[in-house]
Amino acid sequence: ILDGMVVKYDESNFKKSYDLFKKISNNFNQIAVRVNATNRVYAEDIERIAKEIDQIWLLLNTIQSELQRLKP
């Protein structure tokens, strides 16, 4: 027995989230390789990662808001 409601949700936002996580992961790996090679961290790298994290938070907040509106 299921208790609740079935929701059909546009999965494109989840795909965008996945793509952003993948992008950040790749950037972290590139930065780690460079730091290990040079022992230097660049402000531009940190700023880029921070902007990408902000994009993810915005997208996740959008998804959360849309799902909360569905509550009975």
Side-chain angles (χ1 to χ4, degrees):
I1 297 175
L2 295 175
D3 185 23
M5 58 192 256
V6 176
V7 175
K8 186 172 181 172
Y9 186 76
D10 178 13
E11 295 180 10
S12 64
N13 282 337
F14 292 115
K15 170 107 173 70
K16 289 177 193 173
S17 296
Y18 172 78
D19 290 342
L20 284 171
F21 280 118
K22 189 173 163 183
K23 182 178 176 183
I24 287 175
S25 175
N26 289 338
N27 285 341
F28 272 127
N29 287 335
Q30 291 173 0
I31 291 168
V33 167
R34 189 171 347 131
V35 168
N36 286 330
T38 66
N39 287 330
R40 292 188 175 183
V41 177
Y42 297 96
E44 297 84 22
D45 293 332
I46 303 303
E47 290 169 8
R48 181 178 50 191
I49 295 290
K51 287 178 185 176
E52 292 169 353
I53 290 172
D54 287 343
Q55 290 175 346
I56 287 176
W57 274 114
L58 180 62
L59 187 56
L60 292 176
N61 284 330
T62 299
I63 292 170
Q64 182 182 26
S65 295
E66 290 172 356
L67 292 175
Q68 284 179 338
R69 279 189 272 136
L70 298 174
K71 286 184 179 178

